[in-house]
């Protein structure tokens, strides 16, 4: 695990975009395509905008989300809308985007279509940029969620999982550790004093086994996938 610390979110966004773009170019050269997953919310906006400006063969890039709220793209809570607005522009306008949200009435009914689409279109995930909440969640892996065991079970063959007990009440679809554990490289991106305090708490040695309380620990204490931390003080 590498820990990259920056004094400002702008510097972090530029460097993370540079580093990921370099890895993406290497994947395209080696395998002819690259599949990535990015996170929604306000934190990734600067990074997504920076990444959209990096020169590479974006026609060979497939993008999906780490998780998605089950809302239409007209809703302000839609991560798909955020990605289209901030990443799928500039150099990245030719990118193929796979949405975790489909036309089903909810994520339980939409699960199989989403699962099949991931297997068909994403093939294998090369890179994923995760975020972290103030409660220690990542993706839609929430503390003590009923869905958490399925989300974190490495033996679970499913690549996505419906989450219907999210704290604010919005149903979601999330990628699972079954998919992310085969990723080539994971990135964890967060900003600010409060998130740094959460990260410090998550790293406490005496609590490392208490994953249900802070699911981000499942990523921090795994050894299968290279992990790079990108965080800023502001």
């Amino acid at each position: 695990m590498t820990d990259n610390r920056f004094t400002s979110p702008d510097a972090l966004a530029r460097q993370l975009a540079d580093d990921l773009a370099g890895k993406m170019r290497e994947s395209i050269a080696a395998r002819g395509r690259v599949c990535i997953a990015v996170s929604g919310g306000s934190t990734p906006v600067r990074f997504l905008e920076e990444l959209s400006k990096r020169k590479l063969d974006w026609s060979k890039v497939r993008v999906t989300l780490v998780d998605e709220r089950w809302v239409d793209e007209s809703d302000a809570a839609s991560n798909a809308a955020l990605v289209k607005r901030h990443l799928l522009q500039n150099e990245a306008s030719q990118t193929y985007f796979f949405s975790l949200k489909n036309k089903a009435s909810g994520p339980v009914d939409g699960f199989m279509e989403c699962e099949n689409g991931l297997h068909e279109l994403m093939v294998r995930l090369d890179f994923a940029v995760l975020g972290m909440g103030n409660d220690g969640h990542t993706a839609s892996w929430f503390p003590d969620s009923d869905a958490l065991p399925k989300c974190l079970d490495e033996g679970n063959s499913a690549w996505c999982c419906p989450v219907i007990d999210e704290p604010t009440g919005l149903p979601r679809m999330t990628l699972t550790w079954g998919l992310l554990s085969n990723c080539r490289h994971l990135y964890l991106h967060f900003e600010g004093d409060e998130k740094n305090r959460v990260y410090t708490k998550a790293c406490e040695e005496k609590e490392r086994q208490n994953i249900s309380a802070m699911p981000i620990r499942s990523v921090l204490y795994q050894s299968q996938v290279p992990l790079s931390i990108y965080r800023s003080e502001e």
Side-chain angles (χ1 to χ4, degrees), residues 7-97:
T7 57
S8 74
D10 288 336
L12 185 162
R14 288 192 296 270
Q15 191 61 56
L16 178 54
D18 283 344
D19 293 350
L20 181 56
K23 291 282 191 180
M24 291 168 67
R25 293 186 195 100
E26 291 175 3
S27 288
I28 292 170
R31 290 174 288 277
R33 54 109 183 109
V34 61
C35 298
I36 70 171
V38 296
S39 297
S42 58
T43 298
V45 167
R46 293 182 185 87
F47 154 67
L48 294 175
E49 291 180 346
E50 286 290 339
L51 186 60
S52 76
K53 301 172 186 175
R54 299 305 183 268
K55 292 187 180 298
L56 53 95
D57 190 348
W58 284 96
S59 66
K60 296 179 179 177
V61 178
R62 298 178 184 181
V63 176
T64 191
L65 282 156
V66 170
D67 64 335
E68 176 63 291
R69 302 175 182 92
W70 207 263
V71 297
D72 293 334
E73 290 185 21
S74 58
D75 193 303
S78 169
N79 286 336
L82 180 140
V83 167
K84 290 181 179 181
R85 186 164 58 249
H86 296 288
L87 175 60
L88 306 186
Q89 58 172 330
N90 302 318
E91 297 289 336
S93 61
Q94 301 301 310
T95 303
Y96 179 84
F97 175 69

Side-chain angles (χ1 to χ4, degrees), residues 149-157 177-178 181 224:
K150 288 185 178 180
C151 291
L152 299 184
D153 182 3
E154 190 174 347
N156 180 11
S157 61
W177 182 241
S181 63
Q224 299 99 305

Side-chain angles (χ1 to χ4, degrees), residues 94-210:
Q94 301 301 310
T95 303
Y96 179 84
F97 175 69
F98 177 71
S99 177
L100 299 183
K101 162 73 166 62
N102 52 52
K103 295 181 179 179
S105 60
V108 174
D109 291 337
F111 163 74
M112 190 53 67
E113 180 180 338
C114 186
E115 180 76 5
N116 290 340
L118 285 169
H119 281 273
E120 178 182 354
L121 298 168
M122 300 308 290
V123 187
R124 176 184 176 181
L125 202 58
D126 293 290
F127 309 110
V129 184
L130 304 173
M132 181 180 65
N134 292 336
D135 59 355
H137 85 265
T138 190
S140 285
W141 307 346
F142 294 100
D144 301 314
S145 167
D146 290 341
L148 195 58
K150 288 185 178 180
C151 291
L152 299 184
D153 182 3
E154 190 174 347
N156 180 11
S157 61
W159 283 8
C160 63
C161 182
V163 179
I164 58 175
D165 59 351
E166 192 270 346
T168 65
L170 284 175
R172 297 182 178 221
M173 188 71 77
T174 186
L175 301 185
T176 65
W177 182 241
L179 172 57
L180 292 177
S181 63
N182 287 309
C183 190
R184 299 184 196 279
H185 200 117
L186 293 173
Y187 298 84
L188 178 60
H189 171 200
F190 58 90
E191 301 170 354
D193 289 341
E194 187 167 5
K195 293 288 181 70
N196 277 287
R197 285 193 292 270
V198 172
Y199 175 71
T200 298
K201 182 178 180 181
C203 290
E204 291 177 353
E205 183 70 22
K206 63 180 181 179
E207 295 290 340
R208 64 182 298 173
Q209 299 301 324
N210 191 5

